[in-house]
Amino acid sequence: MISLVGMPGSGKSTVGRHVARQLGVEFVDTDHLIEQRIGCSIREYFELHGEPAFRDVEQAVVSEATAMTHVGVMATGGGVVLREANRDLLRERTTVMYLRTMPDDLARRLRNDTHRPLLQGGGDAARRLRQLFQERDPLYRRAAHFVIETQRPSVHGLVNMVLMQVELAGLGRTSDGAAARP
Ligand code: S3P
């Protein structure tokens, strides 16, 4: 299984979906699985129960999702690397690709975002993203097998970069249609 990690807005879900389609494997998005489980939006859940409760659900979902043998590509939430247990699970069970985007590029992409709880509440989103990037860049690197720099390429360009790494790592399709393990 290939998993994509990186900051909010780095393109994990969009790129992951395209990569999965190209490889002919199943795609899963942990944020989507979390929303199915909690029965409301992540933003609402943050407001009602706070971030630690959200991280507990996230950890449980990551543990289950990384064991889904029918899945070939998985997109994760931007904060997944905050817990060591998640980093370990991802590294052990999947080939982790870090889509690395600079915070100012992210700020431009997320200008009109209303869904991401950590970027709401007014204030300077660009500054917040810089802060998050500083905290998390070392953690994404620690979790990742591959780092893909995404300055400003198109989705198409990014998808090709990921596919190239898949090729280099010898992670093509296996006979049962699933992406091979590392
Ligand atoms: C979060 C990122 C979100 C989502 C939650 C927390 C974070 O996912 O998991 O809002 O801590 O950065 P995206 O990376 O898809 O925005």
Side-chain angles (χ1 to χ4, degrees):
M1 184 191 300
I2 294 153
S3 65
L4 299 174
V5 302
M7 290 281 289
S10 57
K12 294 164 297 203
S13 303
T14 311
V15 170
R17 202 167 291 119
H18 280 82
V19 168
R21 196 173 306 144
Q22 292 276 335
L23 293 173
V25 297
E26 269 203 50
F27 170 76
V28 85
D29 184 330
T30 56
D31 278 348
H32 184 69
L33 295 179
I34 291 170
E35 288 190 332
Q36 276 180 346
R37 173 163 312 191
I38 61 187
C40 64
S41 72
I42 290 177
R43 183 176 175 182
E44 281 166 329
Y45 196 81
F46 256 68
E47 278 162 18
L48 282 173
H49 305 284
E51 182 171 347
F54 168 77
R55 297 293 171 205
D56 288 341
V57 181
E58 182 174 54
Q59 187 173 340
V61 165
V62 166
S63 168
E64 284 165 31
T66 51
M68 290 176 174
T69 49
H70 62 285
V71 172
V73 180
M74 180 173 81
T76 60
V80 77
V81 293
L82 292 173
R83 291 199 175 175
E84 189 181 359
N86 292 341
R87 295 198 300 271
D88 288 348
L89 269 183
L90 289 170
R91 258 196 91 84
E92 281 161 21
R93 296 182 176 173
T94 75
T95 301
V96 188
M97 305 211 180
Y98 170 22
L99 300 187
R100 184 169 189 267
T101 315
M102 289 298 143
D104 290 350
D105 291 324
L106 296 170
R108 240 186 318 269
R109 286 189 214 165
L110 296 176
R111 235 179 351 226
N112 301 316
D113 183 80
T114 55
H115 299 290
R116 292 176 168 88
L118 293 176
L119 302 180
Q120 310 304 316
D124 184 347
R127 212 173 118 210
R128 182 86 189 104
L129 283 164
R130 259 178 250 134
Q131 219 171 49
L132 287 176
F133 180 80
Q134 264 190 358
E135 286 164 22
R136 294 177 176 181
D137 184 52
L139 302 178
Y140 293 129
R141 287 176 173 284
R142 210 175 294 166
H145 295 98
F146 298 100
V147 179
I148 297 174
E149 302 280 346
T150 76
Q151 266 29 306
R152 245 169 275 179
S154 58
V155 168
H156 180 73
L158 269 179
V159 169
N160 282 334
M161 283 196 260
V162 171
L163 289 173
M164 215 178 321
Q165 290 292 1
V166 168
E167 187 89 3
L168 284 174
L171 294 171
R173 281 179 69 172
T174 57
S175 53
D176 63 358
R181 281 171 177 272

